C-alpha cells in the first residue's frame, strides 16, 4: 500500500513462495494498482534462503535413516519425486545417490530429477 515499500514487500512474498515451495497470497488493493514504483527496484535479484535445519532434529533423523538401512541390510532404493525439483535439491540428491550407490527410481512427476544415464537408474516407478 506504500509505493516506497511495495517492491520490497512483493519480493519478500515471492521469495517466501520460492523458499518454501508453497503457495502465497499477494493482495494489491485496487486503489493502488496504478501506483508507480522505481524501475531500479526490478534490478535487485530475488535471493531465496533455504531454512536451516535444527541440528538436533537433523542428527536424530540421520541416525534413524542409518538404523533403518542397517535393519534391511542395505536392501534400499531411492525413489525421487517432483519435490526434489520443486525444492531445488537435485544436486544434493545426485550426490547422495552416487555416494551410497543405492539403485534409484523416479516417480512419474520426478522423471527428470535424476540423470537417466546413471548406472544404477532403474527407470520410472509406477508404485
Amino acid at each position: 500500500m506504500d509505493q516506497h515499500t511495495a517492491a520490497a514487500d512483493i519480493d519478500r512474498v515471492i521469495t517466501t513462495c520460492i523458499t518454501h515451495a508453497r503457495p502465497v497470497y499477494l493482495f494489491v488493493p485496487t486503489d493502488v494498482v496504478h501506483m508507480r514504483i522505481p524501475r531500479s527496484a526490478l534490478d535487485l535479484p530475488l535471493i531465496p534462503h533455504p531454512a536451516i535445519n535444527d541440528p538436533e532434529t537433523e542428527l536424530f533423523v540421520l541416525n534413524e535413516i542409518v538404523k533403518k538401512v542397517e535393519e534391511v541390510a542395505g536392501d534400499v532404493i531411492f525413489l525421487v519425486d517432483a519435490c526434489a525439483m520443486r525444492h531445488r535439491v537435485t544436486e544434493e540428491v545426485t550426490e547422495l545417490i552416487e555416494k551410497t550407490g543405492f539403485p534409484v527410481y523416479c516417480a512419474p512427476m520426478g522423471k527428470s530429477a535424476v540423470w537417466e544415464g546413471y548406472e544404477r537408474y532403474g527407470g520410472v516407478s509406477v508404485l
Side-chain angles (χ1 to χ4, degrees), residues 38-99:
R39 160 69 179 85
S40 61
L42 298 175
D43 294 331
L44 298 173
L46 297 177
I47 304 173
H49 298 287
I52 296 173
N53 293 337
D54 172 59
E56 286 184 33
T57 304
E58 183 175 316
L59 183 60
F60 173 79
V61 170
L62 289 172
N63 287 333
E64 287 296 307
I65 292 169
V66 169
K67 193 184 322 178
K68 296 296 183 189
V69 169
E70 289 171 348
E71 285 176 12
V72 297
D75 192 16
V76 177
I77 67 162
F78 282 107
L79 178 61
V80 181
D81 71 1
C83 287
M85 295 177 290
R86 181 179 299 142
H87 292 283
R88 295 170 311 284
V89 294
T90 53
E91 289 180 23
E92 291 87 344
V93 168
T94 299
E95 183 180 349
L96 181 62
I97 289 167
E98 291 174 352
K99 284 187 176 185

Side-chain angles (χ1 to χ4, degrees), residues 91-122:
E91 289 180 23
E92 291 87 344
V93 168
T94 299
E95 183 180 349
L96 181 62
I97 289 167
E98 291 174 352
K99 284 187 176 185
T100 63
F102 294 143
V104 61
Y105 298 84
C106 287
M109 292 289 292
K111 187 173 182 308
S112 62
V114 176
W115 179 53
E116 294 181 18
Y118 177 61
E119 63 190 43
R120 300 291 316 246
Y121 181 71

